[in-house]
Amino acid sequence: MTPTPIADYRALLLDELRLAEGFRDGKPYLDSRGIATIGYGVNIKQVTGYLLLVLNEIGVIGNADIDEEFRRNELGLPPETAEERKQRVEGILEQFGTTIRSSTTDATLQGDLDALAQQYGVSEFRVSTEQAANIYQLILSGTTLAGIQVRGKEPALDAVIQSSLAHNTLEYTALMSMFYNSPATIPPGSRLANAVISGDRQTAWYEIRYQTNPVGRPDRQGIANRRYRESDLFGLYDDITNVSETEAKSVLRMYTTNRNTILNYEGTFSPTDPNAGSLRIHDKLVFADRLLISLYGFGVAIEEARGRVLVGTEAQDTTTLTGSDQSDLIFGGGGNDTLAGRVGAD
């Protein structure tokens, strides 16, 4: 895999997150799974560190620091120690966290958090686009505030993929879009993580597109749309204008191996949905089809973009590759494959 360099992955990712997550006027809301969220998809219910970033950005932590300093001066107390400040801030986090966990509607979430923020001299619990962008940057890089560490998503993702991709690439942007949404989409040691580490672009693309949309989620259509966009960003080919025979076979091997899964998935979640903005698998295969047909078609009229070119795996197996009722181009792989051409000039 040859990654595609870009100037500023964080800027591109923020554009993707604006599209995928929305902004909701900067107010807190409950997402499709009932998780309290604010800004560009920031989880303030389950991730205490992100709640801390929000409270700091909107002024709650700063105002609380000023009040504590004033209180100590009035009482003639010594300055607050770092550990005392940490404990006080943790108390504020628990106070807001309890309110968040008890809210069951957007209206109660917003009203209760507004009332609590006002106790700290902040008129409403709400972030501006500038504040949301600042929070986003800190979520990526990580920081330490009041002695509380907020681990960055960049070092976390780098650990999962063993720093195998430079940050300023389209491929890393796609993976971070997923990881920002949920680290569970790219677990350490997963097929996706291992494919990225080994440079297997086609397997990674397949995993992003078809294998990271858990059954049972209430928002599977939305996730499918997002994964289509992310897989397109990652890319099925290194360069569609310069496809090699090796890459073409790798693309079509991925398709052949997973053909039923892919076609069934696309039958349920259309990649041409306006919110997905992608293409069906056969249209993605056209560049690989075209090259192999030109090299090995020997003048037979084999249609591109119809799943008519199949390539077996390199495993020592006994796969049966079955063609369609039209002219097909079928390549065996390792092992003792059976090539079943059926009808047509195969």
Side-chain angles (χ1 to χ4, degrees):
M1 175 167 60
T2 303
T4 305
I6 56 176
D8 184 357
Y9 106 88
R10 286 190 175 190
L12 176 59
L13 176 60
L14 185 55
D15 288 340
E16 292 296 316
L17 293 178
R18 288 189 180 109
L19 175 63
E21 303 285 359
F23 186 63
R24 303 285 188 95
D25 203 28
K27 296 180 180 180
Y29 62 93
L30 301 177
D31 71 5
S32 60
R33 292 180 292 162
I35 296 174
T37 305
I38 196 170
Y40 301 121
V42 177
N43 180 341
I44 56 174
K45 178 179 181 179
Q46 298 174 330
V47 187
T48 303
Y50 297 167
L51 175 59
L52 175 60
L53 295 180
V54 173
L55 293 176
N56 187 61
E57 195 66 36
I58 67 176
V60 167
I61 301 301
N63 287 353
D65 287 345
I66 293 170
D67 289 345
E68 178 62 13
E69 182 180 10
F70 179 80
R71 184 185 74 84
R72 286 176 173 271
N73 288 337
E74 285 290 297
L75 297 176
L77 298 174
E80 186 177 35
T81 67
E83 182 58 30
E84 288 171 334
R85 183 179 183 232
K86 179 181 179 183
Q87 292 179 4
R88 177 173 54 80
V89 170
E90 286 175 339
I92 295 171
L93 287 171
E94 179 58 29
Q95 187 181 23
F96 277 87
T98 298
T99 298
I100 289 169
R101 289 189 294 271
S102 66
S103 299
T104 57
T105 67
D106 288 356
T108 58
L109 178 68
Q110 293 167 8
D112 291 347
L113 287 177
D114 283 349
L116 190 52
Q118 287 160 13
Q119 296 179 24
Y120 292 89
V122 176
S123 60
E124 60 180 342
F125 193 97
R126 181 181 185 180
V127 295
S128 66
T129 54
E130 181 179 358
Q131 290 170 330
N134 292 339
I135 293 166
Y136 157 78
Q137 295 288 345
L138 290 174
I139 287 174
L140 291 180
S141 63
T143 189
T144 299
L145 181 61
I148 301 171
Q149 184 179 19
V150 182
R151 190 186 185 195
K153 285 189 178 288
E154 285 179 346
L157 177 57
D158 290 347
V160 171
I161 64 171
Q162 299 180 12
S163 300
S164 55
L165 286 174
H167 289 186
N168 284 327
T169 59
L170 290 180
E171 293 77 7
Y172 190 86
T173 307
L175 293 178
M176 182 56 81
S177 177
M178 298 172 62
F179 200 77
Y180 187 98
N181 178 224
S182 171
T185 58
I186 315 177
S190 63
R191 193 164 183 237
L192 172 53
N194 290 339
V196 173
I197 293 166
S198 66
D200 184 349
R201 177 185 290 278
Q202 286 72 42
T203 297
W205 183 88
Y206 167 78
E207 290 292 315
I208 293 169
R209 195 171 179 92
Y210 302 109
Q211 294 296 320
T212 55
N213 189 1
V215 175
R217 285 279 297 269
D219 52 347
R220 292 196 76 206
Q221 182 64 65
I223 294 173
N225 292 339
R226 180 168 181 162
R227 297 294 179 261
Y228 283 135
R229 295 194 301 269
E230 288 162 342
S231 61
D232 284 349
L233 191 62
F234 188 91
L236 178 56
Y237 301 85
D238 279 347
D239 180 359
I240 60 172
T241 66
N242 187 30
V243 179
S244 68
E245 180 180 346
T246 298
E247 184 175 46
K249 286 184 175 179
S250 181
V251 167
L252 290 162
R253 185 177 299 115
M254 174 277 298
Y255 168 73
T256 304
T257 303
N258 303 290
R259 175 167 50 172
N260 290 339
T261 298
I262 291 172
L263 296 179
N264 288 337
Y265 187 89
E266 291 194 354
T268 302
F269 306 107
S270 174
T272 60
D273 182 292
N275 291 317
S278 189
L279 299 172
R280 294 192 178 278
I281 184 63
H282 292 159
D283 294 314
K284 291 286 187 180
L285 301 178
V286 65
F287 304 102
D289 285 350
R290 185 170 298 158
L291 178 68
L292 294 185
I293 291 170
S294 69
L295 292 175
Y296 299 105
F298 303 115
V300 176
I302 301 171
E303 290 185 277
E304 300 172 352
R306 291 293 183 272
R308 303 272 162 73
V309 183
L310 304 177
V311 178
T313 72
E314 293 303 312
Q316 296 299 309
D317 55 17
T318 56
T319 303
T320 297
L321 305 178
T322 304
S324 68
D325 57 0
Q326 302 293 323
S327 296
D328 305 294
L329 178 60
I330 306 176
F331 297 83
N336 297 315
D337 295 334
T338 300
L339 310 185
R342 297 178 66 191
V343 182
D346 297 331

